C-alpha cells in the first residue's frame, strides 16, 4: 500500500466505486511532466489575480516594491467613500404600530364662541375654530368635512 514514489512525480487520489457500491480511495502516481500536471499548473497560474502575481514575483525576487506617491491637488483631506450597507435590524424597535396622532379630533380643538365669532357666524356664514398649531389648511378642510359633513369654500388661518 505505502510504496516509495520516484522523485519528480505527483500523487493524485481518485475515488473509485465498485459493484458493491463502496467507495474506495486509490493512490495514483503520475509523472510531473504529464499533460494533466501541466494543465493544472497553467490553471493555477492564470487563476491568481494580477496584483497577487506581481506581489508574489516581488516577494520571490526579494526586493521591496514601493507604491508611487499620489499627487495631491487640494490641501483639504477628503475621506474616501466606503461601502455603506443598508440597515438590517435583528428585531423591530416598536412592537405596536403607533396610530395617527393628528386625526380630525386633534386638528379641530373647539369652536370659538366669542361675540365677534358669533357675529361672523350670523353675518358672513363663517365658522370659527381653534385648531392645532401644526395643522395646515388642507388638514383643517378635511377635518371639517369628516366631522360636520360640510364642504368649506375657503379656510383662513391666523
Amino acid at each position: 500500500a505505502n510504496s516509495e514514489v520516484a522523485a519528480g512525480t505527483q500523487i493524485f487520489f481518485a475515488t473509485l466505486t465498485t459493484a458493491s457500491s463502496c467507495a474506495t480511495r486509490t493512490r495514483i502516481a503520475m509523472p510531473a511532466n504529464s499533460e494533466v500536471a501541466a494543465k493544472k499548473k497553467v490553471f493555477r497560474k492564470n487563476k491568481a489575480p494580477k496584483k497577487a502575481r506581481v506581489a508574489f514575483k516581488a516577494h520571490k525576487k526579494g526586493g521591496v516594491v514601493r507604491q508611487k506617491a499620489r499627487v495631491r491637488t487640494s490641501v483639504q483631506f477628503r475621506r474616501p467613500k466606503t461601502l455603506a450597507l443598508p440597515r438590517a435590524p435583528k428585531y423591530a424597535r416598536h412592537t405596536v404600530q403607533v396610530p395617527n396622532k393628528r386625526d380630525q379630533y386633534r386638528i379641530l380643538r373647539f369652536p370659538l364662541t366669542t361675540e365677534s365669532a358669533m357675529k361672523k357666524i350670523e353675518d358672513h356664514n363663517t365658522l370659527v375654530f381653534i385648531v392645532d398649531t401644526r395643522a395646515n389648511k388642507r388638514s383643517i378642510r378635511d377635518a371639517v368635512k369628516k366631522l360636520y359633513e360640510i364642504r368649506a369654500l375657503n379656510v383662513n388661518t391666523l
Side-chain angles (χ1 to χ4, degrees):
N2 239 2
S3 61
E4 291 294 320
V5 178
T9 59
Q10 288 184 338
I11 298 168
F12 296 99
F13 286 98
T15 307
L16 305 170
T17 51
T18 58
S20 63
S21 72
C22 295
T24 58
R25 208 163 161 205
T26 309
R27 208 170 115 164
I28 303 167
M30 295 179 79
N33 58 359
S34 70
E35 284 183 40
V36 176
K39 280 183 183 177
K40 272 195 163 187
K41 279 184 181 176
V42 169
F43 178 75
R44 278 195 202 121
K45 189 176 180 182
N46 292 343
K47 193 174 181 185
K50 186 180 178 186
K51 205 171 183 181
R53 275 187 272 149
V54 170
F56 180 71
K57 277 184 184 176
H59 169 72
K60 212 170 167 184
K61 193 173 168 184
V64 178
V65 178
R66 296 192 187 274
Q67 196 173 10
K68 195 174 178 184
R70 272 198 201 117
V71 177
R72 294 199 178 269
T73 56
S74 174
V75 292
Q76 284 87 13
F77 174 75
R78 295 298 214 159
R79 185 174 51 83
K81 285 187 170 47
T82 56
L83 180 67
L85 294 170
R87 290 185 178 188
K90 303 291 180 207
Y91 63 93
R93 296 300 191 261
H94 301 286
T95 53
V96 179
Q97 193 175 10
V98 180
N100 185 12
K101 287 190 175 181
R102 282 205 233 159
D103 59 347
Q104 66 264 23
Y105 302 105
R106 295 273 176 101
I107 291 170
L108 295 182
R109 291 177 60 200
F110 53 89
L112 195 64
T113 55
T114 58
E115 282 183 38
S116 60
M118 294 311 245
K119 188 170 172 93
K120 276 193 176 195
I121 291 170
E122 291 166 5
D123 296 345
H124 303 292
N125 197 21
T126 303
L127 295 171
V128 182
F129 287 94
I130 300 297
V131 297
D132 190 1
T133 54
R134 292 168 295 184
N136 54 25
K137 290 186 178 188
R138 274 197 198 118
S139 62
I140 293 168
R141 178 176 280 142
D142 293 341
V144 167
K145 190 174 185 177
K146 282 181 185 174
L147 285 173
Y148 300 105
E149 296 167 3
I150 53 173
R151 188 173 65 82
L153 290 173
N154 65 333
V155 177
N156 298 330
T157 58
L158 292 175

